[in-house]
Amino acid sequence: MMAITGLSMAARAQAVTDRAEAEKILRMLPLKYTEAKPLPIKMPTPDEVRLFRVTPLVISNLDYTKGFGHTDLITS
């Protein structure tokens, strides 16, 4: 447990309601995982899934190797 590292984030989420934007996102998603094998199913359409735009408000870096519950606030 003391080896936990990662990010913690609080954010606002907004549904993507523009169909053209949703279609673009769904077309781009497989490009992120070029090393993965193609899925045996077709990609969903905007009518079959709900997509969200996430805007971070607070991001913290978790590093329990520095002590239990240790976090560093990330600012920009």
Side-chain angles (χ1 to χ4, degrees):
M1 184 162 136
M2 296 306 291
I4 292 174
T5 59
L7 293 177
S8 173
M9 178 173 65
R12 294 216 186 276
Q14 280 185 294
V16 174
T17 56
D18 180 80
R19 184 173 184 90
E21 183 180 4
E23 289 171 346
K24 179 181 177 182
I25 292 166
L26 291 171
R27 280 192 312 273
M28 291 172 56
L29 189 58
L31 302 176
K32 182 172 176 70
Y33 304 99
T34 56
E35 71 285 349
K37 293 180 183 176
L39 293 174
I41 59 173
K42 70 174 188 67
M43 283 295 291
T45 68
D47 296 324
E48 298 169 321
V49 295
R50 189 83 186 242
L51 300 170
F52 291 87
R53 179 181 302 101
V54 178
T55 305
L57 300 173
V58 177
I59 302 174
S60 296
N61 181 46
L62 306 174
D63 189 352
Y64 283 24
T65 65
K66 295 181 179 179
F68 181 75
H70 179 88
T71 63
D72 293 304
L73 185 63
I74 298 173
T75 58
S76 60

Short mmCIF file of all heavy atoms in Angstrom, two decimals:
data_model
loop_
_atom_site.label_atom_id
_atom_site.label_comp_id
_atom_site.label_asym_id
_atom_site.label_seq_id
_atom_site.Cartn_x
_atom_site.Cartn_y
_atom_site.Cartn_z
N MET A 1 0.82 -1.20 0.00
CA MET A 1 0.00 0.00 0.00
C MET A 1 0.87 1.27 0.00
O MET A 1 0.49 2.27 -0.57
CB MET A 1 -0.91 -0.01 1.22
CG MET A 1 -1.86 1.12 1.26
SD MET A 1 -3.19 0.75 2.39
CE MET A 1 -3.30 2.28 3.23
N MET A 2 2.02 1.19 0.63
CA MET A 2 2.87 2.38 0.72
C MET A 2 3.59 2.69 -0.60
O MET A 2 4.33 3.65 -0.68
CB MET A 2 3.89 2.21 1.85
CG MET A 2 3.23 2.11 3.22
SD MET A 2 2.11 3.49 3.58
CE MET A 2 3.27 4.83 3.74
N ALA A 3 3.36 1.88 -1.62
CA ALA A 3 3.96 2.12 -2.94
C ALA A 3 2.98 2.83 -3.88
O ALA A 3 3.29 3.02 -5.05
CB ALA A 3 4.42 0.81 -3.55
N ILE A 4 1.81 3.23 -3.36
CA ILE A 4 0.80 3.86 -4.21
C ILE A 4 1.32 5.19 -4.74
O ILE A 4 1.82 6.03 -3.99
CB ILE A 4 -0.52 4.08 -3.44
CG1 ILE A 4 -1.17 2.75 -3.10
CG2 ILE A 4 -1.48 4.98 -4.22
CD1 ILE A 4 -2.39 2.87 -2.20
N THR A 5 1.21 5.37 -6.05
CA THR A 5 1.46 6.66 -6.69
C THR A 5 0.38 6.87 -7.74
O THR A 5 -0.18 5.92 -8.27
CB THR A 5 2.85 6.72 -7.38
OG1 THR A 5 2.92 5.70 -8.36
CG2 THR A 5 3.98 6.56 -6.37
N GLY A 6 0.07 8.10 -8.04
CA GLY A 6 -0.95 8.38 -9.06
C GLY A 6 -1.45 9.80 -8.99
O GLY A 6 -0.86 10.65 -8.31
N LEU A 7 -2.53 10.05 -9.66
CA LEU A 7 -3.16 11.37 -9.67
C LEU A 7 -4.55 11.28 -9.08
O LEU A 7 -5.25 10.28 -9.26
CB LEU A 7 -3.26 11.92 -11.09
CG LEU A 7 -1.97 12.25 -11.81
CD1 LEU A 7 -2.26 12.70 -13.24
CD2 LEU A 7 -1.19 13.32 -11.08
N SER A 8 -4.94 12.33 -8.41
CA SER A 8 -6.31 12.49 -7.92
C SER A 8 -6.83 13.79 -8.51
O SER A 8 -6.10 14.79 -8.55
CB SER A 8 -6.31 12.55 -6.39
OG SER A 8 -7.59 12.86 -5.91
N MET A 9 -8.06 13.77 -8.99
CA MET A 9 -8.56 14.96 -9.67
C MET A 9 -10.01 15.23 -9.32
O MET A 9 -10.82 14.30 -9.24
CB MET A 9 -8.43 14.77 -11.19
CG MET A 9 -8.95 15.93 -12.00
SD MET A 9 -8.64 15.81 -13.78
CE MET A 9 -9.59 14.40 -14.26
N ALA A 10 -10.34 16.50 -9.12
CA ALA A 10 -11.72 16.96 -9.04
C ALA A 10 -11.96 17.76 -10.32
O ALA A 10 -11.09 18.53 -10.74
CB ALA A 10 -11.95 17.83 -7.82
N ALA A 11 -13.10 17.55 -10.96
CA ALA A 11 -13.34 18.20 -12.25
C ALA A 11 -14.82 18.44 -12.47
O ALA A 11 -15.66 17.86 -11.80
CB ALA A 11 -12.78 17.32 -13.37
N ARG A 12 -15.11 19.29 -13.41
CA ARG A 12 -16.48 19.50 -13.88
C ARG A 12 -16.65 18.71 -15.17
O ARG A 12 -15.77 18.71 -16.03
CB ARG A 12 -16.75 20.97 -14.17
CG ARG A 12 -16.71 21.83 -12.95
CD ARG A 12 -17.74 22.93 -13.05
NE ARG A 12 -17.61 23.85 -11.96
CZ ARG A 12 -18.16 23.68 -10.75
NH1 ARG A 12 -18.86 22.61 -10.51
NH2 ARG A 12 -18.01 24.58 -9.82
N ALA A 13 -17.78 18.05 -15.30
CA ALA A 13 -18.06 17.26 -16.50
C ALA A 13 -19.27 17.86 -17.21
O ALA A 13 -20.26 18.21 -16.58
CB ALA A 13 -18.32 15.82 -16.12
N GLN A 14 -19.16 17.97 -18.52
CA GLN A 14 -20.26 18.44 -19.36
C GLN A 14 -20.49 17.42 -20.47
O GLN A 14 -19.53 16.97 -21.11
CB GLN A 14 -19.92 19.77 -20.03
CG GLN A 14 -20.08 20.99 -19.17
CD GLN A 14 -19.80 22.22 -20.03
OE1 GLN A 14 -18.69 22.42 -20.47
NE2 GLN A 14 -20.82 23.02 -20.26
N ALA A 15 -21.73 17.09 -20.68
CA ALA A 15 -22.06 16.16 -21.77
C ALA A 15 -21.73 16.82 -23.11
O ALA A 15 -21.96 18.00 -23.31
CB ALA A 15 -23.54 15.81 -21.71
N VAL A 16 -21.16 16.03 -24.01
CA VAL A 16 -20.91 16.49 -25.38
C VAL A 16 -22.23 16.29 -26.13
O VAL A 16 -22.68 15.16 -26.33
CB VAL A 16 -19.77 15.69 -26.05
CG1 VAL A 16 -19.62 16.06 -27.51
CG2 VAL A 16 -18.46 15.89 -25.28
N THR A 17 -22.85 17.39 -26.53
CA THR A 17 -24.16 17.31 -27.17
C THR A 17 -24.10 17.53 -28.68
O THR A 17 -25.06 17.21 -29.38
CB THR A 17 -25.12 18.35 -26.56
OG1 THR A 17 -24.54 19.65 -26.66
CG2 THR A 17 -25.39 18.03 -25.09
N ASP A 18 -23.00 18.07 -29.18
CA ASP A 18 -22.85 18.28 -30.62
C ASP A 18 -22.52 16.95 -31.29
O ASP A 18 -21.50 16.33 -31.00
CB ASP A 18 -21.74 19.31 -30.87
CG ASP A 18 -21.54 19.58 -32.34
OD1 ASP A 18 -22.32 20.35 -32.91
OD2 ASP A 18 -20.59 18.99 -32.91
N ARG A 19 -23.38 16.51 -32.17
CA ARG A 19 -23.21 15.19 -32.80
C ARG A 19 -21.91 15.09 -33.59
O ARG A 19 -21.22 14.08 -33.53
CB ARG A 19 -24.41 14.87 -33.70
CG ARG A 19 -24.31 13.47 -34.28
CD ARG A 19 -25.56 13.05 -35.02
NE ARG A 19 -25.43 11.69 -35.46
CZ ARG A 19 -25.79 10.62 -34.75
NH1 ARG A 19 -26.31 10.77 -33.56
NH2 ARG A 19 -25.62 9.40 -35.23
N ALA A 20 -21.55 16.13 -34.33
CA ALA A 20 -20.32 16.10 -35.13
C ALA A 20 -19.10 15.96 -34.21
O ALA A 20 -18.16 15.21 -34.51
CB ALA A 20 -20.20 17.35 -35.99
N GLU A 21 -19.11 16.65 -33.08
CA GLU A 21 -18.00 16.54 -32.12
C GLU A 21 -17.94 15.13 -31.53
O GLU A 21 -16.87 14.54 -31.41
CB GLU A 21 -18.15 17.57 -31.01
CG GLU A 21 -17.00 17.56 -30.03
CD GLU A 21 -17.15 18.58 -28.92
OE1 GLU A 21 -18.17 19.28 -28.83
OE2 GLU A 21 -16.21 18.67 -28.11
N ALA A 22 -19.09 14.57 -31.19
CA ALA A 22 -19.15 13.22 -30.63
C ALA A 22 -18.63 12.20 -31.65
O ALA A 22 -17.87 11.30 -31.29
CB ALA A 22 -20.58 12.88 -30.21
N GLU A 23 -19.01 12.35 -32.91
CA GLU A 23 -18.54 11.43 -33.95
C GLU A 23 -17.02 11.54 -34.11
O GLU A 23 -16.33 10.52 -34.25
CB GLU A 23 -19.24 11.73 -35.27
CG GLU A 23 -20.70 11.30 -35.27
CD GLU A 23 -21.48 11.78 -36.48
OE1 GLU A 23 -20.98 12.66 -37.22
OE2 GLU A 23 -22.60 11.28 -36.68
N LYS A 24 -16.49 12.76 -34.05
CA LYS A 24 -15.04 12.97 -34.16
C LYS A 24 -14.32 12.28 -32.99
O LYS A 24 -13.30 11.61 -33.19
CB LYS A 24 -14.73 14.46 -34.17
CG LYS A 24 -13.25 14.76 -34.25
CD LYS A 24 -13.01 16.26 -34.25
CE LYS A 24 -11.51 16.55 -34.25
NZ LYS A 24 -11.23 17.99 -34.19
N ILE A 25 -14.83 12.44 -31.78
CA ILE A 25 -14.22 11.81 -30.60
C ILE A 25 -14.19 10.30 -30.76
O ILE A 25 -13.17 9.66 -30.51
CB ILE A 25 -14.99 12.21 -29.32
CG1 ILE A 25 -14.80 13.70 -29.05
CG2 ILE A 25 -14.54 11.37 -28.13
CD1 ILE A 25 -15.77 14.26 -28.01
N LEU A 26 -15.29 9.72 -31.20
CA LEU A 26 -15.37 8.26 -31.35
C LEU A 26 -14.44 7.76 -32.45
O LEU A 26 -13.89 6.67 -32.34
CB LEU A 26 -16.81 7.83 -31.61
CG LEU A 26 -17.75 8.01 -30.40
CD1 LEU A 26 -19.19 7.77 -30.80
CD2 LEU A 26 -17.33 7.08 -29.26
N ARG A 27 -14.23 8.57 -33.49
CA ARG A 27 -13.28 8.18 -34.55
C ARG A 27 -11.83 8.26 -34.04
O ARG A 27 -10.99 7.46 -34.42
CB ARG A 27 -13.42 9.10 -35.77
CG ARG A 27 -14.57 8.77 -36.68
CD ARG A 27 -14.46 9.52 -38.01
NE ARG A 27 -14.19 10.94 -37.89
CZ ARG A 27 -15.13 11.89 -37.75
NH1 ARG A 27 -16.42 11.56 -37.70
NH2 ARG A 27 -14.79 13.16 -37.66
N MET A 28 -11.56 9.21 -33.15
CA MET A 28 -10.21 9.40 -32.64
C MET A 28 -9.83 8.38 -31.56
O MET A 28 -8.64 8.09 -31.39
CB MET A 28 -10.07 10.82 -32.06
CG MET A 28 -10.10 11.90 -33.10
SD MET A 28 -10.17 13.57 -32.40
CE MET A 28 -8.73 13.59 -31.37
N LEU A 29 -10.78 7.86 -30.84
CA LEU A 29 -10.49 6.97 -29.71
C LEU A 29 -9.59 5.79 -30.07
O LEU A 29 -8.59 5.56 -29.38
CB LEU A 29 -11.80 6.50 -29.07
CG LEU A 29 -11.65 5.76 -27.75
CD1 LEU A 29 -10.94 6.59 -26.70
CD2 LEU A 29 -13.02 5.34 -27.25
N PRO A 30 -9.85 5.05 -31.14
CA PRO A 30 -8.96 3.92 -31.47
C PRO A 30 -7.53 4.36 -31.81
O PRO A 30 -6.60 3.60 -31.64
CB PRO A 30 -9.62 3.26 -32.69
CG PRO A 30 -11.03 3.74 -32.68
CD PRO A 30 -11.01 5.08 -32.03
N LEU A 31 -7.36 5.60 -32.25
CA LEU A 31 -6.03 6.10 -32.60
C LEU A 31 -5.14 6.24 -31.36
O LEU A 31 -3.92 6.22 -31.47
CB LEU A 31 -6.14 7.46 -33.32
CG LEU A 31 -6.97 7.46 -34.60
CD1 LEU A 31 -7.08 8.88 -35.15
CD2 LEU A 31 -6.39 6.52 -35.62
N LYS A 32 -5.75 6.35 -30.20
CA LYS A 32 -4.99 6.46 -28.95
C LYS A 32 -4.34 5.13 -28.58
O LYS A 32 -3.33 5.10 -27.89
CB LYS A 32 -5.92 6.93 -27.83
CG LYS A 32 -5.24 7.13 -26.50
CD LYS A 32 -6.17 7.76 -25.52
CE LYS A 32 -5.57 7.89 -24.15
NZ LYS A 32 -4.52 8.86 -24.03
N TYR A 33 -4.91 4.03 -29.03
CA TYR A 33 -4.43 2.70 -28.66
C TYR A 33 -3.99 1.93 -29.91
O TYR A 33 -4.51 0.86 -30.21
CB TYR A 33 -5.53 1.95 -27.91
CG TYR A 33 -6.01 2.71 -26.70
CD1 TYR A 33 -7.17 3.47 -26.75
CD2 TYR A 33 -5.27 2.69 -25.53
CE1 TYR A 33 -7.60 4.18 -25.63
CE2 TYR A 33 -5.69 3.40 -24.41
CZ TYR A 33 -6.85 4.14 -24.48
OH TYR A 33 -7.25 4.85 -23.37
N THR A 34 -3.03 2.47 -30.61
CA THR A 34 -2.60 1.87 -31.88
C THR A 34 -1.99 0.49 -31.69
O THR A 34 -2.02 -0.32 -32.62
CB THR A 34 -1.60 2.78 -32.60
OG1 THR A 34 -0.49 3.04 -31.71
CG2 THR A 34 -2.24 4.10 -33.00
N GLU A 35 -1.42 0.18 -30.53
CA GLU A 35 -0.80 -1.12 -30.30
C GLU A 35 -1.82 -2.21 -29.96
O GLU A 35 -1.51 -3.39 -29.98
CB GLU A 35 0.25 -1.03 -29.18
CG GLU A 35 -0.30 -0.85 -27.79
CD GLU A 35 -0.84 0.56 -27.46
OE1 GLU A 35 -0.63 1.50 -28.24
OE2 GLU A 35 -1.49 0.69 -26.42
N ALA A 36 -3.05 -1.81 -29.64
CA ALA A 36 -4.09 -2.78 -29.26
C ALA A 36 -4.68 -3.45 -30.50
O ALA A 36 -4.75 -2.87 -31.59
CB ALA A 36 -5.20 -2.08 -28.49
N LYS A 37 -5.10 -4.67 -30.32
CA LYS A 37 -5.78 -5.40 -31.39
C LYS A 37 -7.17 -4.80 -31.59
O LYS A 37 -7.79 -4.32 -30.64
CB LYS A 37 -5.91 -6.87 -31.04
CG LYS A 37 -4.60 -7.59 -30.97
CD LYS A 37 -4.79 -9.05 -30.60
CE LYS A 37 -3.46 -9.74 -30.46
NZ LYS A 37 -3.59 -11.13 -30.02
N PRO A 38 -7.69 -4.80 -32.80
CA PRO A 38 -9.04 -4.29 -33.03
C PRO A 38 -10.06 -5.07 -32.19
O PRO A 38 -9.93 -6.27 -31.99
CB PRO A 38 -9.28 -4.52 -34.52
CG PRO A 38 -7.92 -4.67 -35.11
CD PRO A 38 -7.04 -5.25 -34.03
N LEU A 39 -11.05 -4.36 -31.71
CA LEU A 39 -12.11 -5.01 -30.93
C LEU A 39 -12.96 -5.88 -31.85
O LEU A 39 -13.16 -5.55 -33.02
CB LEU A 39 -13.00 -3.96 -30.27
CG LEU A 39 -12.34 -3.13 -29.17
CD1 LEU A 39 -13.30 -2.04 -28.71
CD2 LEU A 39 -11.90 -3.99 -28.02
N PRO A 40 -13.50 -6.98 -31.32
CA PRO A 40 -14.34 -7.86 -32.14
C PRO A 40 -15.75 -7.31 -32.33
O PRO A 40 -16.60 -7.96 -32.92
CB PRO A 40 -14.36 -9.16 -31.33
CG PRO A 40 -14.15 -8.73 -29.93
CD PRO A 40 -13.25 -7.54 -29.99
N ILE A 41 -15.99 -6.09 -31.86
CA ILE A 41 -17.30 -5.44 -32.02
C ILE A 41 -17.09 -4.09 -32.68
O ILE A 41 -15.99 -3.54 -32.66
CB ILE A 41 -18.01 -5.28 -30.65
CG1 ILE A 41 -17.14 -4.45 -29.70
CG2 ILE A 41 -18.36 -6.62 -30.05
CD1 ILE A 41 -17.79 -4.08 -28.40
N LYS A 42 -18.15 -3.55 -33.22
CA LYS A 42 -18.03 -2.23 -33.86
C LYS A 42 -18.02 -1.13 -32.80
O LYS A 42 -18.51 -1.32 -31.69
CB LYS A 42 -19.18 -2.01 -34.84
CG LYS A 42 -20.53 -1.80 -34.18
CD LYS A 42 -21.59 -1.44 -35.22
CE LYS A 42 -22.90 -1.05 -34.57
NZ LYS A 42 -22.87 0.18 -33.80
N MET A 43 -17.41 -0.01 -33.14
CA MET A 43 -17.40 1.14 -32.24
C MET A 43 -18.83 1.64 -32.08
O MET A 43 -19.62 1.61 -33.03
CB MET A 43 -16.54 2.26 -32.81
CG MET A 43 -15.05 2.03 -32.67
SD MET A 43 -14.50 2.01 -30.94
CE MET A 43 -14.71 3.71 -30.48
N PRO A 44 -19.18 2.13 -30.88
CA PRO A 44 -20.54 2.65 -30.69
C PRO A 44 -20.74 3.95 -31.45
O PRO A 44 -19.79 4.62 -31.83
CB PRO A 44 -20.62 2.88 -29.19
CG PRO A 44 -19.21 3.06 -28.75
CD PRO A 44 -18.38 2.21 -29.68
N THR A 45 -21.98 4.30 -31.66
CA THR A 45 -22.34 5.57 -32.29
C THR A 45 -22.71 6.56 -31.19
O THR A 45 -22.94 6.16 -30.04
CB THR A 45 -23.55 5.39 -33.23
OG1 THR A 45 -24.70 5.10 -32.42
CG2 THR A 45 -23.32 4.28 -34.25
N PRO A 46 -22.80 7.86 -31.51
CA PRO A 46 -23.22 8.83 -30.50
C PRO A 46 -24.61 8.53 -29.92
O PRO A 46 -24.92 8.97 -28.81
CB PRO A 46 -23.22 10.16 -31.26
CG PRO A 46 -22.21 9.96 -32.34
CD PRO A 46 -22.37 8.52 -32.74
N ASP A 47 -25.42 7.78 -30.63
CA ASP A 47 -26.75 7.42 -30.10
C ASP A 47 -26.67 6.31 -29.06
O ASP A 47 -27.59 6.11 -28.29
CB ASP A 47 -27.67 6.96 -31.24
CG ASP A 47 -27.94 8.08 -32.24
OD1 ASP A 47 -28.04 9.25 -31.80
OD2 ASP A 47 -28.03 7.78 -33.43
N GLU A 48 -25.54 5.58 -29.04
CA GLU A 48 -25.40 4.43 -28.15
C GLU A 48 -24.59 4.70 -26.89
O GLU A 48 -24.60 3.90 -25.96
CB GLU A 48 -24.75 3.27 -28.92
CG GLU A 48 -25.58 2.79 -30.08
CD GLU A 48 -24.84 1.84 -31.00
OE1 GLU A 48 -23.63 2.04 -31.26
OE2 GLU A 48 -25.49 0.90 -31.47
N VAL A 49 -23.86 5.82 -26.86
CA VAL A 49 -23.03 6.15 -25.70
C VAL A 49 -23.20 7.63 -25.35
O VAL A 49 -23.69 8.42 -26.16
CB VAL A 49 -21.52 5.87 -25.94
CG1 VAL A 49 -21.28 4.40 -26.13
CG2 VAL A 49 -21.00 6.67 -27.11
N ARG A 50 -22.78 7.98 -24.16
CA ARG A 50 -22.78 9.38 -23.73
C ARG A 50 -21.34 9.79 -23.48
O ARG A 50 -20.62 9.12 -22.75
CB ARG A 50 -23.61 9.52 -22.44
CG ARG A 50 -23.87 10.93 -22.00
CD ARG A 50 -25.07 11.47 -22.78
NE ARG A 50 -25.30 12.85 -22.51
CZ ARG A 50 -26.40 13.32 -21.95
NH1 ARG A 50 -27.36 12.51 -21.59
NH2 ARG A 50 -26.55 14.60 -21.76
N LEU A 51 -20.88 10.84 -24.12
CA LEU A 51 -19.52 11.33 -23.97
C LEU A 51 -19.53 12.60 -23.12
O LEU A 51 -20.48 13.39 -23.18
CB LEU A 51 -18.91 11.64 -25.34
CG LEU A 51 -18.81 10.45 -26.29
CD1 LEU A 51 -18.42 10.92 -27.69
CD2 LEU A 51 -17.84 9.43 -25.77
N PHE A 52 -18.46 12.78 -22.35
CA PHE A 52 -18.35 13.95 -21.47
C PHE A 52 -17.02 14.65 -21.68
O PHE A 52 -15.99 14.02 -21.87
CB PHE A 52 -18.47 13.53 -20.00
CG PHE A 52 -19.85 13.06 -19.64
CD1 PHE A 52 -20.20 11.73 -19.82
CD2 PHE A 52 -20.79 13.93 -19.13
CE1 PHE A 52 -21.46 11.28 -19.51
CE2 PHE A 52 -22.05 13.48 -18.82
CZ PHE A 52 -22.39 12.16 -19.00
N ARG A 53 -17.06 15.97 -21.62
CA ARG A 53 -15.86 16.81 -21.62
C ARG A 53 -15.55 17.08 -20.15
O ARG A 53 -16.42 17.52 -19.40
CB ARG A 53 -16.13 18.12 -22.35
CG ARG A 53 -14.98 19.08 -22.39
CD ARG A 53 -15.34 20.37 -23.13
NE ARG A 53 -15.78 20.09 -24.50
CZ ARG A 53 -17.06 20.07 -24.91
NH1 ARG A 53 -18.03 20.30 -24.06
NH2 ARG A 53 -17.37 19.80 -26.16
N VAL A 54 -14.32 16.80 -19.71
CA VAL A 54 -13.95 16.96 -18.31
C VAL A 54 -12.96 18.12 -18.20
O VAL A 54 -11.92 18.12 -18.87
CB VAL A 54 -13.33 15.66 -17.76
CG1 VAL A 54 -12.88 15.84 -16.33
CG2 VAL A 54 -14.32 14.51 -17.88
N THR A 55 -13.27 19.09 -17.34
CA THR A 55 -12.39 20.24 -17.09
C THR A 55 -11.86 20.14 -15.66
O THR A 55 -12.63 20.27 -14.71
CB THR A 55 -13.17 21.57 -17.28
OG1 THR A 55 -13.76 21.57 -18.58
CG2 THR A 55 -12.25 22.76 -17.12
N PRO A 56 -10.57 19.88 -15.50
CA PRO A 56 -10.01 19.74 -14.15
C PRO A 56 -10.12 21.03 -13.34
O PRO A 56 -9.94 22.13 -13.87
CB PRO A 56 -8.53 19.40 -14.40
CG PRO A 56 -8.47 18.93 -15.81
CD PRO A 56 -9.57 19.65 -16.54
N LEU A 57 -10.42 20.88 -12.05
CA LEU A 57 -10.44 22.00 -11.12
C LEU A 57 -9.28 21.90 -10.14
O LEU A 57 -8.64 22.90 -9.82
CB LEU A 57 -11.76 22.03 -10.35
CG LEU A 57 -13.03 22.16 -11.18
CD1 LEU A 57 -14.27 22.02 -10.31
CD2 LEU A 57 -13.05 23.49 -11.91
N VAL A 58 -9.04 20.70 -9.64
CA VAL A 58 -7.95 20.44 -8.69
C VAL A 58 -7.29 19.13 -9.09
O VAL A 58 -7.98 18.14 -9.32
CB VAL A 58 -8.49 20.32 -7.24
CG1 VAL A 58 -7.37 19.97 -6.28
CG2 VAL A 58 -9.20 21.59 -6.81
N ILE A 59 -5.96 19.13 -9.18
CA ILE A 59 -5.22 17.91 -9.47
C ILE A 59 -4.14 17.76 -8.40
O ILE A 59 -3.41 18.72 -8.11
CB ILE A 59 -4.56 17.94 -10.86
CG1 ILE A 59 -5.61 18.15 -11.95
CG2 ILE A 59 -3.78 16.65 -11.11
CD1 ILE A 59 -5.03 18.34 -13.34
N SER A 60 -4.05 16.58 -7.82
CA SER A 60 -3.01 16.29 -6.82
C SER A 60 -2.22 15.07 -7.26
O SER A 60 -2.78 14.13 -7.81
CB SER A 60 -3.64 16.00 -5.46
OG SER A 60 -4.30 17.14 -4.96
N ASN A 61 -0.92 15.11 -6.98
CA ASN A 61 -0.04 13.98 -7.22
C ASN A 61 0.02 13.17 -5.92
O ASN A 61 0.37 13.70 -4.87
CB ASN A 61 1.36 14.48 -7.61
CG ASN A 61 2.32 13.36 -7.89
OD1 ASN A 61 1.97 12.42 -8.59
ND2 ASN A 61 3.50 13.46 -7.34
N LEU A 62 -0.36 11.89 -5.99
CA LEU A 62 -0.30 11.02 -4.82
C LEU A 62 1.03 10.29 -4.82
O LEU A 62 1.43 9.73 -5.84
CB LEU A 62 -1.42 9.96 -4.87
CG LEU A 62 -2.84 10.47 -5.04
CD1 LEU A 62 -3.78 9.29 -5.21
CD2 LEU A 62 -3.25 11.31 -3.87
N ASP A 63 1.72 10.29 -3.67
CA ASP A 63 2.99 9.55 -3.56
C ASP A 63 3.14 9.04 -2.14
O ASP A 63 3.73 9.70 -1.29
CB ASP A 63 4.17 10.44 -3.96
CG ASP A 63 5.46 9.66 -4.07
OD1 ASP A 63 5.49 8.46 -3.69
OD2 ASP A 63 6.46 10.25 -4.52
N TYR A 64 2.60 7.86 -1.89
CA TYR A 64 2.63 7.28 -0.54
C TYR A 64 4.03 6.82 -0.16
O TYR A 64 4.28 6.51 1.00
CB TYR A 64 1.64 6.12 -0.44
CG TYR A 64 0.19 6.54 -0.32
CD1 TYR A 64 -0.25 7.77 -0.77
CD2 TYR A 64 -0.74 5.69 0.25
CE1 TYR A 64 -1.58 8.15 -0.67
CE2 TYR A 64 -2.07 6.07 0.36
CZ TYR A 64 -2.49 7.30 -0.10
OH TYR A 64 -3.79 7.66 0.02
N THR A 65 4.96 6.77 -1.11
CA THR A 65 6.34 6.42 -0.75
C THR A 65 6.95 7.52 0.13
O THR A 65 7.95 7.29 0.81
CB THR A 65 7.24 6.20 -1.99
OG1 THR A 65 7.37 7.43 -2.71
CG2 THR A 65 6.67 5.12 -2.90
N LYS A 66 6.35 8.70 0.14
CA LYS A 66 6.81 9.82 0.98
C LYS A 66 6.05 9.87 2.30
O LYS A 66 6.24 10.80 3.07
CB LYS A 66 6.65 11.14 0.23
CG LYS A 66 7.53 11.24 -0.99
CD LYS A 66 7.34 12.58 -1.68
CE LYS A 66 8.25 12.70 -2.89
NZ LYS A 66 8.05 13.99 -3.58
N GLY A 67 5.16 8.90 2.53
CA GLY A 67 4.37 8.86 3.76
C GLY A 67 2.91 8.61 3.41
O GLY A 67 2.44 9.00 2.34
N PHE A 68 2.21 7.95 4.32
CA PHE A 68 0.81 7.60 4.08
C PHE A 68 -0.03 8.84 3.80
O PHE A 68 0.00 9.82 4.55
CB PHE A 68 0.23 6.85 5.29
CG PHE A 68 -1.20 6.44 5.07
CD1 PHE A 68 -1.50 5.38 4.24
CD2 PHE A 68 -2.23 7.14 5.68
CE1 PHE A 68 -2.82 5.00 4.03
CE2 PHE A 68 -3.56 6.76 5.48
CZ PHE A 68 -3.84 5.70 4.65
N GLY A 69 -0.73 8.84 2.70
CA GLY A 69 -1.61 9.94 2.33
C GLY A 69 -0.91 11.15 1.77
O GLY A 69 -1.53 12.20 1.59
N HIS A 70 0.39 11.06 1.45
CA HIS A 70 1.13 12.22 0.95
C HIS A 70 0.60 12.64 -0.43
O HIS A 70 0.47 11.83 -1.33
CB HIS A 70 2.63 11.92 0.84
CG HIS A 70 3.41 13.09 0.31
ND1 HIS A 70 3.92 14.06 1.15
CD2 HIS A 70 3.73 13.47 -0.94
CE1 HIS A 70 4.54 14.97 0.42
NE2 HIS A 70 4.42 14.62 -0.87
N THR A 71 0.29 13.92 -0.57
CA THR A 71 -0.13 14.48 -1.86
C THR A 71 0.56 15.81 -2.09
O THR A 71 0.90 16.54 -1.15
CB THR A 71 -1.66 14.70 -1.94
OG1 THR A 71 -2.04 15.66 -0.95
CG2 THR A 71 -2.42 13.42 -1.74
N ASP A 72 0.78 16.16 -3.33
CA ASP A 72 1.29 17.46 -3.73
C ASP A 72 0.29 18.05 -4.70
O ASP A 72 -0.07 17.43 -5.70
CB ASP A 72 2.65 17.34 -4.43
CG ASP A 72 3.74 16.86 -3.49
OD1 ASP A 72 3.95 17.50 -2.44
OD2 ASP A 72 4.37 15.83 -3.79
N LEU A 73 -0.18 19.26 -4.40
CA LEU A 73 -1.12 19.96 -5.27
C LEU A 73 -0.40 20.40 -6.53
O LEU A 73 0.70 20.95 -6.47
CB LEU A 73 -1.72 21.17 -4.55
CG LEU A 73 -2.80 21.93 -5.29
CD1 LEU A 73 -4.02 21.05 -5.53
CD2 LEU A 73 -3.19 23.17 -4.48
N ILE A 74 -1.00 20.14 -7.69
CA ILE A 74 -0.44 20.54 -8.97
C ILE A 74 -1.14 21.83 -9.39
O ILE A 74 -2.37 21.89 -9.45
CB ILE A 74 -0.63 19.44 -10.03
CG1 ILE A 74 0.12 18.18 -9.59
CG2 ILE A 74 -0.14 19.93 -11.40
CD1 ILE A 74 -0.14 16.99 -10.47
N THR A 75 -0.36 22.87 -9.66
CA THR A 75 -0.94 24.13 -10.08
C THR A 75 -0.36 24.52 -11.43
O THR A 75 0.71 24.06 -11.83
CB THR A 75 -0.63 25.27 -9.06
OG1 THR A 75 0.78 25.38 -8.92
CG2 THR A 75 -1.25 24.95 -7.71
N SER A 76 -1.10 25.39 -12.12
CA SER A 76 -0.59 25.85 -13.42
C SER A 76 -0.50 27.35 -13.44
O SER A 76 -0.96 28.05 -12.62
CB SER A 76 -1.48 25.37 -14.56
OG SER A 76 -2.79 25.86 -14.39
#
